Amino acid sequence: MYTKNKIGRVIEKHYNNYKVQVDSIVKNAKLKGKLFKEANNIFPCVGDWVEVSEHDEILVIENVLKRKTQISRKLPGNATKEQVIASNVDYVVVVLGLDGGRNYSDRLLERLMTVAWNSGATPLVVLNKADLNNQAEFVKLQAETIAPGVDIIISSIKDNIGIDTILEYLTKEKVGVFIGPSGVGKSTLTNILLKKEVQRTRATKLKDKRGRHTTSASYMFELESGGFIIDSPGIREVQAWAEKENLDDVFSEISSIANNCRYRDCKHEGEPGCAVQMELERGYITPQRYDSFLHLRKELAYLERRKSEKNGFTEKQHGKKFSKMVKQEMNKKKTYHNYINN
Ligand code: GDP
Ligand code: ZN
């Protein structure tokens, strides 16, 4: 039997098998093959609102509605293809661990903040395992300099600190996703936030006895508070798939100082009249922060290059790009030359 198309949300994805919730009913769904072969890469992901038709209890996904936000990652291996792993997320919660070792570092926070900003969602930072660190407030201050203006929550699952604060964000249909290195407590946190029995068992199945993830499926869980959490293997391995603009968000103090550099295209690497260099010397920008900035910029430029190589530019586009690059180089020379002669 065929019925009129409806709008639903993808709440589970396992390879090409989907579960879509329409109103409050969840049904298996398949892709409409032709559509997705044509539309490059627009595979639905968890969180997507989709248009579905119903054919004998199976839903067919006809169309993916425009995404409000999306979390992407670089595909593993050397492909420079972007893969969208979750969409329509309101909060990207960057979770780090205060238990020492590799679970917190400024560099790590910067990278994850780039992913968060790049998604279009609001970032939140959770510094978990506060019970293992008596300097938690100090680390928080440090984190504030890296994520200025972002809410930072200190939490401990062991001592039940901060959990309620995290929950306050995840109410009224708000969708959250936890990103961060493994071992910081994302699964434990997810399990605690999920109070409904059926979902709890589903969530615990995500890890086996040794704490390894056992499923390649992505899920969207509903919380008692009315919010949602998305859990996906892709998110667990999320890599910086970031655009340059996001560098400015993460290093907002450096980019606002850079407005005062003499040259608009200043790279802050020794050019005359560089405001960034000046503030670096005065100690307003720390050397670590400056190094991180340069490092991340290099990394992003590399990603960009690989992306455009993979995108298979036509000869003509290549030509255009090349002449633009030459023009830029010449302008640089000109401005620098003018300076020398003045
Ligand atoms: P994930 O890889 O980020 O999902 O991390 P898990 O949720 O698997 O947590 C890794 C380990 O850290 C588990 O043994 C948890 O019990 C433990 N853990 C999680 N949160 C806390 C916390 O706040 N304090 C302490 N002491 N241990 C925690
Ligand atoms: Zn400069």
Side-chain angles (χ1 to χ4, degrees):
M1 216 200 77
Y2 177 83
T3 49
K4 208 169 138 265
N5 288 359
K6 286 184 171 170
I7 302 297
R9 181 154 53 185
V10 177
I11 60 157
E12 202 175 308
K13 173 180 176 169
H14 193 217
Y15 301 110
N16 279 335
N17 301 309
Y18 294 86
K19 280 194 169 47
V20 172
Q21 181 170 344
V22 180
D23 300 325
S24 54
I25 296 159
V26 177
K27 284 185 177 161
N28 289 318
K30 297 261 179 235
L31 297 184
K32 184 172 177 175
K34 188 171 164 277
L35 186 83
F36 293 100
K37 249 181 230 145
E38 284 167 2
N40 268 327
N41 278 330
I42 317 234
F43 284 103
C45 62
V46 170
D48 267 336
W49 291 99
V50 290
E51 198 182 317
V52 291
S53 57
E54 187 164 11
H55 305 261
D56 304 321
E57 290 299 297
I58 296 277
L59 300 176
V60 173
I61 301 175
E62 305 271 345
N63 196 10
V64 179
L65 303 194
K66 196 171 179 303
R67 292 165 174 148
K68 192 172 65 175
T69 65
Q70 62 182 49
I71 296 178
S72 320
R73 68 156 174 164
K74 194 162 77 74
L75 282 176
N78 60 6
T80 312
K81 258 186 160 174
E82 185 177 5
Q83 181 191 31
V84 179
I85 25 194
S87 68
N88 302 316
V89 169
D90 297 285
Y91 293 108
V92 172
V93 188
V94 174
V95 187
L96 293 172
L98 291 168
D99 49 338
R102 294 165 60 206
N103 285 341
Y104 178 92
S105 81
D106 292 348
R107 172 65 53 77
L108 191 56
L109 179 57
E110 268 156 12
R111 278 172 141 284
L112 292 166
M113 285 306 295
T114 313
V115 174
W117 284 120
N118 201 33
S119 71
T122 305
L124 276 183
V125 175
V126 168
L127 302 175
N128 190 36
K129 305 199 186 186
D131 55 285
L132 298 176
N133 192 327
N134 52 18
Q135 306 272 314
E137 285 295 337
F138 178 77
V139 180
K140 184 182 171 183
L141 285 176
Q142 176 75 13
E144 273 167 5
T145 65
I146 292 178
V150 173
D151 291 354
I152 301 177
I153 302 158
I154 290 178
S155 73
S156 162
I157 293 167
K158 194 164 164 279
D159 294 347
N160 191 23
I161 293 169
I163 314 287
D164 291 339
T165 316
I166 298 169
L167 257 181
E168 279 169 23
Y169 291 88
L170 301 173
T171 56
K172 295 185 198 142
E173 306 263 302
K174 290 282 188 253
V175 181
V177 57
F178 296 117
I179 65 171
S182 76
V184 294
K186 298 182 299 299
S187 306
T188 320
L189 204 53
T190 304
N191 282 331
I192 289 192
L193 297 181
L194 292 168
K195 290 193 182 134
K196 288 184 189 167
E197 196 56 38
V198 48
Q199 283 158 336
R200 192 184 308 146
T201 46
R202 199 159 61 163
T204 31
K205 262 195 267 162
L206 293 173
K207 282 200 171 182
D208 68 9
K209 277 185 192 137
R210 289 189 190 144
R212 289 175 306 203
H213 285 278
T214 53
T215 173
S216 49
S218 307
Y219 298 95
M220 183 162 177
F221 300 110
E222 188 169 3
L223 305 179
E224 247 175 18
S225 59
F228 296 88
I229 290 176
I230 291 180
D231 185 49
S232 151
I235 287 169
R236 286 174 219 132
E237 300 142 24
V238 82
Q239 293 185 40
W241 176 272
E243 311 290 345
K244 284 209 190 59
E245 306 88 75
N246 298 101
L247 194 65
D248 290 342
D249 287 328
V250 178
F251 295 94
S252 55
E253 88 282 20
I254 294 186
S255 37
S256 66
I257 288 167
N259 288 332
N260 301 324
C261 292
R262 180 168 303 152
Y263 302 117
R264 217 171 56 86
D265 57 357
C266 185
K267 297 271 177 291
H268 327 305
E269 289 181 297
E271 290 93 334
C274 173
V276 173
Q277 292 282 339
M278 204 174 80
E279 295 299 346
L280 186 65
E281 271 156 38
R282 287 196 343 173
Y284 183 75
I285 297 173
T286 66
Q288 293 89 324
R289 191 89 175 129
Y290 175 73
D291 287 344
S292 291
F293 173 80
L294 292 187
H295 184 93
L296 196 59
R297 185 172 70 185
K298 228 184 270 163
E299 214 162 304
L300 292 178
Y302 173 69
L303 267 176
E304 280 283 310
R305 265 202 315 280
R306 287 220 331 212
K307 201 157 73 169
S308 53
E309 275 162 25
K310 293 273 171 177
N311 279 349
F313 279 100
T314 62
E315 284 294 319
K316 201 173 162 195
Q317 282 169 319
H318 258 308
K320 262 192 193 155
K321 229 185 158 182
F322 184 70
S323 58
K324 198 176 155 197
M325 263 165 56
V326 172
K327 233 183 248 164
Q328 276 171 352
E329 280 307 309
M330 283 174 56
N331 278 342
K332 248 187 251 165
K333 290 230 171 67
K334 220 185 328 185
T335 40
Y336 192 60
H337 186 77
N338 287 348
Y339 169 76
I340 299 278
N341 285 339
N342 281 343

